[in-house]
Amino acid sequence: MKERKIRLQSVEDAKNFVKVATHCDFDVDLYANSIVVDAKSILGVMCMDFRHVLTVRYNGENKEFEAFLNNHMKDIEKIA
């Protein structure tokens, strides 16, 4: 199980995250404290609080998904 911290800063980020996660052939979950949603669900992701750093958990590999996560991890250390 892989775990990454990301920051979605806009609705557009959330839509792109769901789009990329949907192309993964493995489960992807998005966590915020005790709330867990399916990262492939636009409704679930839109319910998350974008003011906070979110945790992504998944078990698989997808280059496009990894690139998206890497791009949205920038400056998390300064925020968290």
Side-chain angles (χ1 to χ4, degrees):
M1 182 70 62
K2 297 179 184 178
E3 184 173 295
R4 306 276 294 276
K5 303 283 186 188
I6 65 166
R7 176 83 181 218
L8 301 175
Q9 297 183 346
S10 67
V11 172
E12 193 65 33
D13 281 350
K15 289 184 342 187
N16 290 333
F17 174 72
V18 171
K19 181 180 177 182
V20 176
T22 303
H23 290 102
C24 297
D25 60 352
F26 46 86
D27 290 335
V28 182
D29 294 319
L30 190 61
Y31 292 77
N33 297 323
S34 61
I35 300 170
V36 181
V37 299
D38 180 355
K40 297 178 183 182
S41 165
I42 189 67
L43 291 175
V45 173
M46 293 302 292
C47 289
M48 300 304 255
D49 187 352
F50 297 156
R51 295 175 296 170
H52 301 287
V53 174
L54 304 171
T55 302
V56 181
R57 288 188 187 150
Y58 58 100
N59 194 9
E61 289 190 28
N62 179 299
K63 289 181 182 182
E64 184 181 5
F65 185 65
E66 296 280 339
F68 182 92
L69 294 178
N70 288 338
N71 190 41
H72 287 80
M73 289 179 62
K74 295 176 183 173
D75 299 324
I76 284 182
E77 295 80 22
K78 296 177 188 174
I79 298 166

Coordinates of all heavy atoms in Angstrom, one line a residue:
M1 N 0.9 -1.2 0.0 CA 0.0 0.0 0.0 C 0.9 1.2 0.0 O 1.8 1.4 0.8 CB -0.9 0.0 1.2 CG -1.9 1.1 1.3 SD -3.2 1.2 0.2 CE -4.1 -0.3 0.6
K2 N 0.7 2.1 -1.0 CA 1.4 3.4 -1.1 C 0.6 4.5 -0.5 O -0.7 4.5 -0.6 CB 1.8 3.7 -2.5 CG 2.7 2.6 -3.1 CD 2.9 3.0 -4.6 CE 3.7 1.9 -5.2 NZ 4.0 2.2 -6.7
E3 N 1.2 5.4 0.1 CA 0.5 6.6 0.7 C 1.3 7.9 0.3 O 2.5 7.9 0.5 CB 0.5 6.4 2.2 CG -0.3 7.5 2.9 CD -0.5 7.2 4.4 OE1 -1.2 6.3 4.7 OE2 0.0 8.0 5.2
R4 N 0.5 8.8 -0.2 CA 1.1 10.1 -0.5 C 0.2 11.2 0.0 O -1.0 11.1 0.1 CB 1.2 10.2 -2.1 CG 1.9 9.1 -2.8 CD 3.4 9.2 -2.9 NE 3.9 10.3 -3.6 CZ 4.1 10.3 -5.0 NH1 3.8 9.2 -5.6 NH2 4.5 11.3 -5.6
K5 N 0.9 12.4 0.3 CA 0.1 13.6 0.7 C 0.1 14.5 -0.6 O 1.0 14.7 -1.3 CB 0.9 14.3 1.8 CG 1.1 13.5 3.0 CD -0.1 13.3 3.8 CE 0.2 12.6 5.1 NZ -0.9 12.3 5.9
I6 N -1.1 15.1 -0.8 CA -1.3 16.0 -1.9 C -2.1 17.2 -1.4 O -2.7 17.2 -0.4 CB -2.0 15.3 -3.1 CG1 -3.4 14.9 -2.8 CG2 -1.2 14.2 -3.7 CD1 -4.2 14.6 -4.0
R7 N -2.1 18.2 -2.3 CA -2.9 19.4 -2.0 C -3.7 19.7 -3.3 O -3.1 20.0 -4.3 CB -2.0 20.5 -1.7 CG -2.6 21.8 -1.5 CD -3.2 21.9 -0.1 NE -3.8 23.2 0.1 CZ -3.8 23.9 1.2 NH1 -3.1 23.5 2.2 NH2 -4.4 25.1 1.3
L8 N -5.0 19.6 -3.2 CA -5.9 20.0 -4.3 C -6.3 21.5 -4.0 O -7.0 21.7 -3.0 CB -7.1 19.1 -4.5 CG -6.7 17.6 -4.7 CD1 -8.0 16.8 -4.7 CD2 -6.0 17.5 -6.0
Q9 N -6.0 22.4 -4.9 CA -6.3 23.8 -4.6 C -7.5 24.4 -5.3 O -7.9 25.5 -5.0 CB -5.0 24.6 -4.9 CG -3.9 24.2 -4.0 CD -2.7 25.0 -4.2 OE1 -2.5 25.8 -5.2 NE2 -1.7 24.9 -3.3
S10 N -8.1 23.6 -6.2 CA -9.2 24.1 -6.9 C -10.1 23.0 -7.4 O -9.8 21.8 -7.3 CB -8.7 24.9 -8.1 OG -8.1 24.0 -9.1
V11 N -11.3 23.4 -7.9 CA -12.2 22.4 -8.4 C -11.6 21.8 -9.7 O -11.8 20.6 -9.9 CB -13.6 23.1 -8.8 CG1 -14.5 22.2 -9.6 CG2 -14.3 23.6 -7.5
E12 N -10.9 22.5 -10.4 CA -10.2 22.0 -11.6 C -9.2 20.9 -11.2 O -9.1 19.9 -11.9 CB -9.5 23.1 -12.4 CG -9.1 22.8 -13.8 CD -10.2 22.4 -14.7 OE1 -11.3 23.0 -14.6 OE2 -10.0 21.5 -15.5
D13 N -8.4 21.2 -10.1 CA -7.5 20.2 -9.6 C -8.2 18.9 -9.3 O -7.8 17.8 -9.6 CB -6.8 20.7 -8.4 CG -5.6 21.6 -8.7 OD1 -5.2 21.7 -9.8 OD2 -5.1 22.2 -7.7
A14 N -9.4 19.0 -8.6 CA -10.2 17.9 -8.2 C -10.7 17.1 -9.4 O -10.6 15.9 -9.4 CB -11.3 18.3 -7.3
K15 N -11.1 17.8 -10.4 CA -11.6 17.1 -11.6 C -10.5 16.4 -12.3 O -10.7 15.2 -12.7 CB -12.2 18.1 -12.6 CG -13.6 18.7 -12.1 CD -14.3 19.6 -13.0 CE -13.6 20.2 -14.1 NZ -14.5 21.2 -14.8
N16 N -9.3 17.0 -12.4 CA -8.2 16.3 -13.0 C -7.7 15.1 -12.2 O -7.3 14.1 -12.8 CB -7.0 17.3 -13.2 CG -7.3 18.4 -14.3 OD1 -8.1 18.1 -15.2 ND2 -6.8 19.5 -14.1
F17 N -7.8 15.3 -10.9 CA -7.4 14.1 -10.0 C -8.3 12.9 -10.2 O -7.8 11.8 -10.4 CB -7.4 14.6 -8.5 CG -7.2 13.5 -7.6 CD1 -5.9 12.9 -7.4 CD2 -8.2 12.9 -6.8 CE1 -5.7 11.9 -6.5 CE2 -8.0 11.9 -5.9 CZ -6.8 11.4 -5.8
V18 N -9.6 13.2 -10.3 CA -10.5 12.1 -10.5 C -10.3 11.5 -11.9 O -10.3 10.2 -12.1 CB -12.0 12.6 -10.3 CG1 -13.0 11.5 -10.8 CG2 -12.2 12.9 -8.9
K19 N -10.1 12.3 -12.9 CA -9.9 11.8 -14.3 C -8.6 10.9 -14.3 O -8.7 9.8 -14.9 CB -9.6 13.0 -15.2 CG -9.4 12.7 -16.6 CD -9.2 13.9 -17.5 CE -8.9 13.6 -18.9 NZ -8.7 14.8 -19.7
V20 N -7.6 11.3 -13.7 CA -6.3 10.5 -13.7 C -6.5 9.2 -12.9 O -6.1 8.1 -13.3 CB -5.1 11.3 -13.2 CG1 -3.9 10.5 -13.1 CG2 -4.9 12.5 -14.1
A21 N -7.2 9.3 -11.7 CA -7.4 8.2 -10.8 C -8.3 7.1 -11.5 O -8.1 5.9 -11.4 CB -8.1 8.6 -9.5
T22 N -9.3 7.6 -12.3 CA -10.2 6.7 -13.0 C -9.4 5.8 -14.0 O -9.9 4.7 -14.3 CB -11.3 7.5 -13.8 OG1 -11.9 8.4 -12.9 CG2 -12.2 6.6 -14.5
H23 N -8.3 6.3 -14.5 CA -7.5 5.5 -15.5 C -6.7 4.4 -14.8 O -6.0 3.6 -15.5 CB -6.6 6.3 -16.3 CG -7.4 7.2 -17.3 ND1 -7.7 8.5 -17.1 CD2 -8.0 6.8 -18.5 CE1 -8.4 9.0 -18.1 NE2 -8.6 8.0 -19.0
C24 N -6.7 4.4 -13.5 CA -5.9 3.4 -12.7 C -6.7 2.1 -12.6 O -7.9 2.1 -12.4 CB -5.6 3.9 -11.3 SG -4.5 5.3 -11.3
D25 N -6.0 1.0 -12.8 CA -6.7 -0.3 -12.7 C -6.6 -0.9 -11.3 O -6.7 -2.1 -11.1 CB -6.2 -1.3 -13.7 CG -4.7 -1.6 -13.6 OD1 -4.1 -0.9 -12.8 OD2 -4.2 -2.5 -14.3
F26 N -6.5 -0.1 -10.3 CA -6.4 -0.4 -8.9 C -7.2 0.6 -8.1 O -7.6 1.6 -8.6 CB -5.0 -0.5 -8.4 CG -4.1 0.7 -8.8 CD1 -4.1 1.9 -8.0 CD2 -3.4 0.7 -10.0 CE1 -3.4 3.0 -8.4 CE2 -2.6 1.8 -10.4 CZ -2.6 2.9 -9.6
D27 N -7.5 0.2 -6.8 CA -8.3 1.1 -6.0 C -7.5 2.3 -5.5 O -6.3 2.1 -5.2 CB -8.8 0.4 -4.7 CG -9.9 -0.7 -5.0 OD1 -10.6 -0.5 -6.1 OD2 -10.1 -1.6 -4.3
V28 N -8.1 3.4 -5.5 CA -7.5 4.7 -5.0 C -8.4 5.3 -4.0 O -9.6 5.5 -4.3 CB -7.2 5.7 -6.2 CG1 -6.5 6.9 -5.6 CG2 -6.4 5.0 -7.3
D29 N -7.9 5.5 -2.8 CA -8.8 6.2 -1.8 C -8.2 7.5 -1.4 O -6.9 7.7 -1.4 CB -8.9 5.3 -0.5 CG -9.6 4.0 -0.8 OD1 -10.6 4.0 -1.5 OD2 -9.2 2.9 -0.3
L30 N -9.0 8.4 -1.0 CA -8.6 9.8 -0.6 C -9.1 10.0 0.9 O -10.2 9.7 1.2 CB -9.2 10.8 -1.5 CG -8.7 12.2 -1.4 CD1 -7.2 12.3 -1.7 CD2 -9.5 13.2 -2.3
Y31 N -8.1 10.4 1.7 CA -8.4 10.5 3.2 C -8.2 11.9 3.6 O -7.3 12.6 3.2 CB -7.4 9.6 4.0 CG -7.6 8.2 3.8 CD1 -7.1 7.5 2.7 CD2 -8.2 7.4 4.8 CE1 -7.3 6.1 2.6 CE2 -8.3 6.0 4.7 CZ -7.9 5.4 3.6 OH -8.0 4.1 3.4
A32 N -9.1 12.3 4.5 CA -9.0 13.6 5.3 C -9.4 13.3 6.7 O -10.6 13.2 6.9 CB -9.8 14.7 4.6
N33 N -8.5 13.2 7.6 CA -8.8 12.8 9.0 C -9.5 11.5 9.0 O -9.0 10.5 8.5 CB -9.6 13.9 9.7 CG -8.8 15.2 9.8 OD1 -7.6 15.1 10.0 ND2 -9.4 16.3 9.7
S34 N -10.8 11.4 9.4 CA -11.5 10.2 9.5 C -12.4 9.9 8.3 O -13.1 8.9 8.3 CB -12.3 10.1 10.8 OG -13.3 11.1 10.8
I35 N -12.4 10.8 7.3 CA -13.2 10.7 6.1 C -12.5 10.0 5.0 O -11.3 10.4 4.7 CB -13.7 12.1 5.7 CG1 -14.5 12.8 6.7 CG2 -14.5 12.0 4.4 CD1 -14.8 14.2 6.5
V36 N -13.1 9.0 4.4 CA -12.5 8.2 3.3 C -13.4 8.2 2.2 O -14.6 7.9 2.4 CB -12.2 6.8 3.7 CG1 -11.5 6.1 2.6 CG2 -11.3 6.7 5.0
V37 N -12.9 8.6 1.0 CA -13.8 8.5 -0.2 C -13.0 7.8 -1.3 O -11.8 7.7 -1.3 CB -14.2 9.9 -0.7 CG1 -15.0 10.6 0.3 CG2 -13.0 10.8 -1.1
D38 N -13.8 7.3 -2.2 CA -13.2 6.6 -3.4 C -12.7 7.8 -4.3 O -13.5 8.7 -4.7 CB -14.3 5.8 -4.2 CG -13.9 5.2 -5.4 OD1 -12.7 5.3 -5.8 OD2 -14.7 4.4 -6.0
A39 N -11.4 7.8 -4.6 CA -10.8 8.8 -5.4 C -11.3 8.9 -6.9 O -11.1 9.8 -7.6 CB -9.3 8.7 -5.4
K40 N -12.0 7.8 -7.3 CA -12.6 7.8 -8.6 C -14.0 8.4 -8.7 O -14.6 8.4 -9.7 CB -12.6 6.4 -9.2 CG -11.2 5.8 -9.3 CD -11.2 4.4 -9.7 CE -9.7 3.8 -9.8 NZ -9.7 2.5 -10.3
S41 N -14.5 8.9 -7.6 CA -15.8 9.5 -7.5 C -15.7 11.0 -7.4 O -15.2 11.5 -6.4 CB -16.5 8.9 -6.2 OG -17.7 9.7 -5.9
I42 N -16.2 11.7 -8.4 CA -16.2 13.1 -8.4 C -16.9 13.7 -7.2 O -16.5 14.7 -6.6 CB -16.6 13.7 -9.8 CG1 -16.3 15.2 -9.8 CG2 -18.1 13.4 -10.0 CD1 -14.9 15.6 -9.8
L43 N -18.1 13.1 -6.9 CA -18.9 13.6 -5.8 C -18.1 13.4 -4.5 O -18.1 14.3 -3.6 CB -20.2 12.9 -5.7 CG -21.2 13.2 -6.8 CD1 -22.5 12.4 -6.7 CD2 -21.5 14.7 -6.8
G44 N -17.5 12.3 -4.3 CA -16.7 12.1 -3.1 C -15.6 13.0 -2.9 O -15.4 13.6 -1.9
V45 N -14.8 13.2 -4.0 CA -13.7 14.1 -4.0 C -14.1 15.6 -3.7 O -13.5 16.3 -3.0 CB -12.8 14.0 -5.2 CG1 -11.7 15.0 -5.3 CG2 -12.2 12.6 -5.3
M46 N -15.2 16.0 -4.3 CA -15.7 17.3 -4.2 C -16.2 17.6 -2.8 O -16.3 18.8 -2.4 CB -16.8 17.6 -5.2 CG -16.3 17.6 -6.6 SD -15.0 18.8 -7.0 CE -15.9 20.3 -6.8
C47 N -16.5 16.6 -2.0 CA -16.9 16.8 -0.6 C -15.7 17.0 0.3 O -15.9 17.4 1.5 CB -17.7 15.5 -0.1 SG -19.3 15.4 -0.9
M48 N -14.5 16.8 -0.1 CA -13.3 17.0 0.7 C -13.1 18.5 0.9 O -13.4 19.3 0.1 CB -12.1 16.3 0.1 CG -12.3 14.8 -0.1 SD -12.7 13.9 1.4 CE -11.2 13.2 1.8
D49 N -12.4 18.8 2.0 CA -12.0 20.2 2.3 C -10.6 20.4 1.7 O -9.6 19.9 2.1 CB -11.9 20.3 3.8 CG -11.7 21.7 4.2 OD1 -11.4 22.6 3.4 OD2 -11.8 22.0 5.4
F50 N -10.6 21.3 0.6 CA -9.4 21.5 -0.1 C -8.4 22.5 0.6 O -7.3 22.7 0.2 CB -9.7 22.2 -1.5 CG -10.5 21.3 -2.4 CD1 -11.2 21.8 -3.4 CD2 -10.5 19.9 -2.3 CE1 -11.9 21.0 -4.3 CE2 -11.1 19.1 -3.1 CZ -11.9 19.6 -4.1
R51 N -8.9 23.0 1.8 CA -8.0 23.8 2.6 C -6.9 23.0 3.3 O -5.9 23.6 3.7 CB -8.8 24.6 3.6 CG -9.7 25.6 3.0 CD -10.6 26.3 4.1 NE -11.4 25.2 4.7 CZ -12.1 25.4 5.8 NH1 -12.1 26.6 6.4 NH2 -12.8 24.4 6.3
H52 N -7.1 21.7 3.3 CA -6.1 20.8 4.1 C -5.4 19.9 3.1 O -5.8 19.6 2.0 CB -6.9 20.0 5.1 CG -7.6 20.9 6.1 ND1 -7.0 21.6 7.1 CD2 -9.0 21.1 6.2 CE1 -7.9 22.2 7.8 NE2 -9.1 22.0 7.3
V53 N -4.3 19.4 3.6 CA -3.5 18.4 2.9 C -4.3 17.1 3.0 O -4.8 16.7 4.0 CB -2.1 18.2 3.5 CG1 -1.4 17.1 2.9 CG2 -1.3 19.5 3.3
L54 N -4.4 16.4 1.9 CA -5.1 15.1 1.8 C -4.2 14.0 1.6 O -3.1 14.1 1.1 CB -6.1 15.2 0.6 CG -7.1 16.3 0.6 CD1 -7.9 16.4 -0.7 CD2 -8.0 16.2 1.8
T55 N -4.6 12.8 2.0 CA -3.8 11.6 1.9 C -4.4 10.7 0.8 O -5.6 10.4 0.9 CB -3.7 10.8 3.2 OG1 -3.2 11.7 4.2 CG2 -2.8 9.6 3.1
V56 N -3.6 10.2 -0.1 CA -4.0 9.3 -1.1 C -3.4 7.9 -0.8 O -2.1 7.9 -0.6 CB -3.5 9.8 -2.5 CG1 -4.0 8.8 -3.6 CG2 -4.0 11.2 -2.8
R57 N -4.2 6.9 -0.8 CA -3.7 5.5 -0.6 C -4.1 4.7 -1.8 O -5.2 4.7 -2.2 CB -4.2 4.9 0.7 CG -3.6 5.5 1.9 CD -4.1 4.8 3.2 NE -3.6 5.5 4.3 CZ -4.2 5.5 5.5 NH1 -5.3 4.8 5.7 NH2 -3.7 6.2 6.5
Y58 N -3.1 3.9 -2.3 CA -3.4 3.1 -3.5 C -2.4 2.0 -3.5 O -1.3 2.0 -2.8 CB -3.3 3.9 -4.7 CG -1.9 4.6 -4.9 CD1 -1.0 4.1 -5.8 CD2 -1.6 5.8 -4.2 CE1 0.2 4.7 -6.0 CE2 -0.4 6.4 -4.4 CZ 0.5 5.9 -5.3 OH 1.7 6.5 -5.4
N59 N -2.7 1.0 -4.3 CA -1.8 -0.2 -4.4 C -1.7 -0.6 -5.9 O -2.4 -1.4 -6.4 CB -2.4 -1.4 -3.6 CG -1.4 -2.5 -3.4 OD1 -0.2 -2.3 -3.7 ND2 -1.9 -3.6 -2.9
G60 N -0.7 0.0 -6.5 CA -0.5 -0.2 -7.9 C 0.4 0.9 -8.5 O 0.9 1.7 -7.8
E61 N 0.6 0.8 -9.8 CA 1.5 1.8 -10.5 C 0.8 2.3 -11.8 O 0.3 1.5 -12.5 CB 2.8 1.1 -10.8 CG 3.7 0.9 -9.6 CD 5.1 0.5 -9.9 OE1 5.6 0.9 -11.0 OE2 5.7 -0.2 -9.1
N62 N 0.9 3.6 -11.9 CA 0.4 4.2 -13.1 C 1.2 5.5 -13.3 O 1.2 6.4 -12.4 CB -1.1 4.5 -13.0 CG -1.7 5.2 -14.2 OD1 -1.2 6.3 -14.6 ND2 -2.6 4.6 -14.9
K63 N 2.0 5.6 -14.4 CA 2.9 6.8 -14.5 C 2.2 8.1 -14.5 O 2.6 9.1 -13.9 CB 3.7 6.6 -15.8 CG 4.7 5.5 -15.7 CD 5.5 5.4 -17.0 CE 6.5 4.2 -16.9 NZ 7.3 4.1 -18.1
E64 N 1.0 8.2 -15.2 CA 0.3 9.4 -15.3 C -0.2 9.8 -13.9 O -0.1 11.0 -13.5 CB -0.9 9.3 -16.2 CG -1.7 10.5 -16.4 CD -2.9 10.4 -17.4 OE1 -3.1 9.2 -17.8 OE2 -3.5 11.4 -17.7
F65 N -0.7 8.9 -13.1 CA -1.2 9.1 -11.8 C 0.0 9.6 -10.9 O -0.2 10.5 -10.1 CB -1.9 7.8 -11.2 CG -2.5 8.0 -9.9 CD1 -3.6 8.8 -9.7 CD2 -2.0 7.3 -8.8 CE1 -4.2 9.0 -8.5 CE2 -2.6 7.4 -7.6 CZ -3.7 8.3 -7.4
E66 N 1.1 8.9 -10.9 CA 2.3 9.2 -10.1 C 2.7 10.7 -10.5 O 3.1 11.4 -9.6 CB 3.4 8.2 -10.4 CG 3.1 6.8 -9.9 CD 3.3 6.6 -8.4 OE1 4.0 7.5 -7.8 OE2 2.7 5.7 -7.9
A67 N 2.7 11.0 -11.7 CA 3.1 12.4 -12.2 C 2.2 13.4 -11.6 O 2.6 14.5 -11.1 CB 3.2 12.4 -13.7
F68 N 0.9 13.1 -11.6 CA -0.1 14.1 -11.0 C 0.2 14.2 -9.5 O 0.2 15.4 -9.0 CB -1.5 13.5 -11.2 CG -2.6 14.5 -10.7 CD1 -3.1 15.5 -11.5 CD2 -3.0 14.4 -9.4 CE1 -4.0 16.3 -11.0 CE2 -3.9 15.3 -8.9 CZ -4.5 16.3 -9.7
L69 N 0.4 13.1 -8.8 CA 0.7 13.2 -7.4 C 1.9 14.0 -7.1 O 2.0 14.9 -6.2 CB 0.8 11.8 -6.8 CG -0.5 11.0 -6.8 CD1 -0.2 9.6 -6.2 CD2 -1.6 11.6 -6.1
N70 N 3.0 13.8 -7.9 CA 4.2 14.5 -7.7 C 4.0 16.0 -7.9 O 4.6 16.8 -7.2 CB 5.3 14.0 -8.7 CG 5.8 12.6 -8.3 OD1 5.7 12.2 -7.1 ND2 6.3 11.9 -9.3
N71 N 3.2 16.3 -8.9 CA 3.0 17.8 -9.2 C 2.2 18.4 -8.0 O 2.4 19.6 -7.8 CB 2.2 17.9 -10.5 CG 2.1 19.3 -10.9 OD1 3.1 20.1 -10.8 ND2 1.0 19.7 -11.5
H72 N 1.3 17.7 -7.4 CA 0.5 18.3 -6.3 C 1.0 18.1 -4.9 O 0.3 18.3 -3.9 CB -1.0 17.8 -6.5 CG -1.6 18.3 -7.6 ND1 -1.4 17.9 -8.9 CD2 -2.5 19.4 -7.7 CE1 -2.1 18.6 -9.7 NE2 -2.8 19.6 -9.1
M73 N 2.3 17.6 -4.8 CA 3.0 17.5 -3.5 C 3.9 18.7 -3.3 O 4.4 18.9 -2.2 CB 3.8 16.2 -3.5 CG 3.0 15.0 -3.4 SD 4.1 13.5 -3.4 CE 5.0 13.8 -1.9
K74 N 4.0 19.5 -4.3 CA 5.0 20.7 -4.1 C 4.5 21.6 -3.0 O 3.4 21.9 -2.8 CB 5.0 21.5 -5.4 CG 5.6 20.7 -6.6 CD 5.5 21.5 -7.9 CE 6.0 20.6 -9.0 NZ 5.9 21.3 -10.3
D75 N 5.5 22.0 -2.2 CA 5.3 23.0 -1.1 C 4.4 22.5 0.0 O 3.9 23.3 0.8 CB 4.8 24.3 -1.6 CG 5.7 24.9 -2.6 OD1 7.0 24.8 -2.4 OD2 5.3 25.6 -3.6
I76 N 4.1 21.2 0.1 CA 3.3 20.7 1.2 C 4.0 20.9 2.5 O 3.4 21.2 3.5 CB 2.9 19.2 1.0 CG1 1.8 19.1 -0.1 CG2 2.4 18.5 2.3 CD1 1.3 17.7 -0.3
E77 N 5.3 20.8 2.6 CA 6.0 20.9 3.8 C 5.8 22.3 4.4 O 5.7 22.5 5.6 CB 7.5 20.7 3.6 CG 7.9 19.3 3.2 CD 7.7 19.0 1.8 OE1 7.7 20.0 0.9 OE2 7.5 17.8 1.4
K78 N 5.7 23.3 3.5 CA 5.4 24.7 4.0 C 4.0 24.9 4.5 O 3.8 25.7 5.4 CB 5.7 25.7 2.8 CG 7.1 25.7 2.3 CD 7.2 26.6 1.1 CE 8.6 26.5 0.5 NZ 8.7 27.3 -0.7
I79 N 3.1 24.1 4.0 CA 1.7 24.3 4.3 C 1.4 23.5 5.6 O 0.7 24.0 6.5 CB 0.8 23.8 3.2 CG1 1.0 24.6 1.9 CG2 -0.7 23.8 3.6 CD1 0.4 24.1 0.7
A80 N 1.8 22.3 5.7 CA 1.5 21.4 6.8 C 2.1 21.8 8.1 O 2.9 22.5 8.2 CB 1.9 19.9 6.4

